[in-house]
Each structure stands twice: as structure tokens, then as C-alpha cells.
């Protein structure tokens, strides 16, 4: 399984960018698949390569899910606060998996 790490562009450098994930660690990320991004942009990275430009909200949700995974691996069970967007709502299928409504229905 490959896990994407959300990172924020700190300094664009053409094909590469200096990016930060969470703390103070800076890493040089290959931007060839997403193109040069401005300072402040969020990207989802895999093995030090950006694969997708994402919103700040998407980056936060992904970081929270990774934090929850780390906590569960340490035996922690109180992780609901990291999934606030999912608590108290019915699960939703993505649009491409939903059964189309019959014509005339609605």
C-alpha cells in the first residue's frame, strides 16, 4: 500500500520544490507530474514526488487520517476528533459508484 503525504510548497524551484509536512522538516519534492506550484500550494506526495495538487482542507483531512493511523498503531482508541467531517453522518458513495436514477424519477 502506498500512502500519500500532504506537503506544502515553501519554495518553488522549477522542476523541484522545497516542501514542508507538518513539523519543521523540509524536503525537496519532484514536481514534474503536477508542474511548478506557487508558495503555499498543497500537494500529495509519494516517495518524494508530488502526484496531485490538493486543497488545504484535503491536505488537513489526509494529515488527520495519518495521525489517527499512528495513534491506533500505538494502541490509542480515541481518534474520533480526527474524523470530525465523518462523525454523525451517513456514509456516501462517490458519484461514480452511485446507481443512476431511472428516467422520470425525481
Amino acid at each position: 500500500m502506498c500512502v500519500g503525504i500532504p506537503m506544502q510548497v515553501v519554495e518553488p524551484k522549477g522542476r523541484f520544490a522545497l516542501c514542508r509536512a507538518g513539523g519543521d522538516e523540509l524536503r525537496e519534492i519532484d514536481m514534474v507530474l503536477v508542474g511548478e506550484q506557487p508558495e503555499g500550494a498543497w500537494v500529495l506526495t509519494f516517495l518524494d514526488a508530488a502526484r496531485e495538487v490538493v486543497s488545504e482542507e484535503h491536505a488537513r483531512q489526509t494529515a488527520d487520517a495519518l495521525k489517527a493511523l499512528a495513534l491506533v498503531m500505538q494502541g490509542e482508541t480515541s481518534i474520533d476528533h480526527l474524523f470530525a467531517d465523518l462523525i454523525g453522518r451517513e456514509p456516501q458513495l462517490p458519484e461514480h459508484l452511485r446507481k443512476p436514477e431511472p428516467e422520470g424519477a425525481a
Side-chain angles (χ1 to χ4, degrees):
M1 180 171 106
C2 198
V3 177
I5 308 295
M7 299 188 83
Q8 189 172 33
V9 174
V10 174
E11 183 183 337
K13 297 179 175 184
R15 179 184 167 181
F16 293 91
L18 200 55
C19 297
R20 175 178 288 123
D24 294 326
E25 180 186 2
L26 294 174
R27 298 183 78 145
E28 191 169 71
I29 301 298
D30 185 337
M31 304 295 280
V32 74
L33 294 176
V34 297
E36 187 171 351
Q37 298 297 313
E39 180 181 337
W42 287 91
V43 292
L44 200 56
T45 65
F46 299 81
L47 302 173
D48 289 338
R51 302 288 168 91
E52 182 180 356
V53 178
V54 296
S55 68
E56 183 175 0
E57 177 68 12
H58 183 122
R60 186 194 56 75
Q61 289 173 339
T62 302
D64 283 351
L66 292 171
K67 188 183 300 182
L69 179 61
L71 288 171
V72 167
M73 291 174 62
Q74 295 171 10
E76 179 64 52
T77 58
S78 178
I79 60 169
D80 286 359
H81 65 285
L82 295 169
F83 297 102
D85 60 313
L86 301 176
I87 302 299
R89 73 172 179 94
E90 287 294 316
Q92 301 281 323
L93 280 175
E95 186 67 39
H96 68 279
L97 295 177
R98 294 182 191 161
K99 183 178 177 182
E101 289 191 30
E103 287 190 35

